[in-house]
Amino acid sequence: YTQIAAVSLIDNAVIDMVPLNDEAVTFAKSLNVKIQGINHSLKREDLLKHMSEVDIVSYVTLSECSPMLPLESMEMGIPCVCGNNHHYFINSELENYVIVKNEDNPIEIKKQILKCLENKDKVIKLYQEFRKNNLQSSNQDVKKFLEM
């Protein structure tokens, strides 16, 4: 609901939610923000395809530690604004564009969404650099583990 409230503060925004539920629709309507989506869960590949058709993904969650969704979204070239409940982008320039420090603050979420959208090409470029470095680091970690 905080993310819906955040998007309601952005002119002409449309929320595309999966899975869409009646409570979210009611709340969005009370804030005069357009909401659409699919009212059931999707298979992973269908969800990824659906996400690839939006401008930005918002996954500001308090409940999931190290979520895969931000990485999956970025892999498809779609920026993802997320909470600070994972380590992915710590101490990188990318952190400044995609991480929301206070997941309960719709104004902060809105600002981060707009900042991320305004810098979409830079965000995706920074993600590609992160991806390359992360892959190298992960491969080294696996190698060290296997040598134990």
Side-chain angles (χ1 to χ4, degrees):
Y1 292 96
T2 307
Q3 292 175 88
I4 293 171
V7 174
S8 77
L9 301 171
I10 300 172
D11 292 337
N12 302 314
V14 177
I15 297 170
D16 190 290
M17 186 174 170
V18 177
L20 184 62
N21 62 59
D22 292 339
E23 293 83 9
V25 170
T26 300
F27 185 64
K29 285 182 180 180
S30 75
L31 298 175
N32 295 316
V33 63
K34 185 175 179 184
I35 189 167
Q36 61 189 30
I38 299 170
N39 63 358
H40 56 82
S41 297
L42 295 174
K43 292 180 185 176
R44 194 95 203 129
E45 58 271 8
D46 293 335
L47 178 61
L48 295 175
K49 182 180 181 316
H50 191 81
M51 283 192 318
S52 73
E53 298 168 351
V54 300
D55 295 320
I56 191 167
V57 171
S58 178
Y59 197 65
V60 183
T61 176
L62 294 167
S63 62
E64 187 175 352
C65 183
S66 297
M68 290 301 297
L69 194 114
L71 299 175
E72 292 168 327
S73 177
M74 299 279 239
E75 278 295 316
M76 295 181 304
I78 306 299
C80 182
V81 172
C82 47
N84 63 357
N85 56 339
H86 57 75
H87 63 282
Y88 304 142
F89 312 123
I90 291 176
N91 298 323
S92 75
E93 189 177 356
L94 191 55
E95 179 179 21
N96 298 323
Y97 294 99
V98 299
I99 301 297
V100 173
K101 305 267 191 260
N102 183 354
E103 293 92 341
D104 288 331
N105 186 331
I107 295 171
E108 183 178 339
I109 295 169
K110 170 207 162 196
K111 287 178 181 177
Q112 206 65 355
I113 288 171
L114 292 174
K115 183 178 183 180
C116 191
L117 281 172
E118 290 166 2
N119 294 282
K120 182 178 179 176
D121 291 339
K122 182 175 187 175
V123 168
I124 296 305
K125 182 179 178 192
L126 289 169
Y127 173 75
Q128 292 301 324
E129 293 170 16
F130 162 83
R131 181 186 187 275
K132 178 182 164 188
N133 294 334
N134 188 55
L135 184 60
Q136 291 173 348
S137 175
S138 296
N139 286 336
Q140 289 173 355
D141 289 345
V142 168
K143 184 178 178 183
K144 287 178 187 176
F145 177 77
L146 293 174
E147 291 173 352
M148 295 174 107

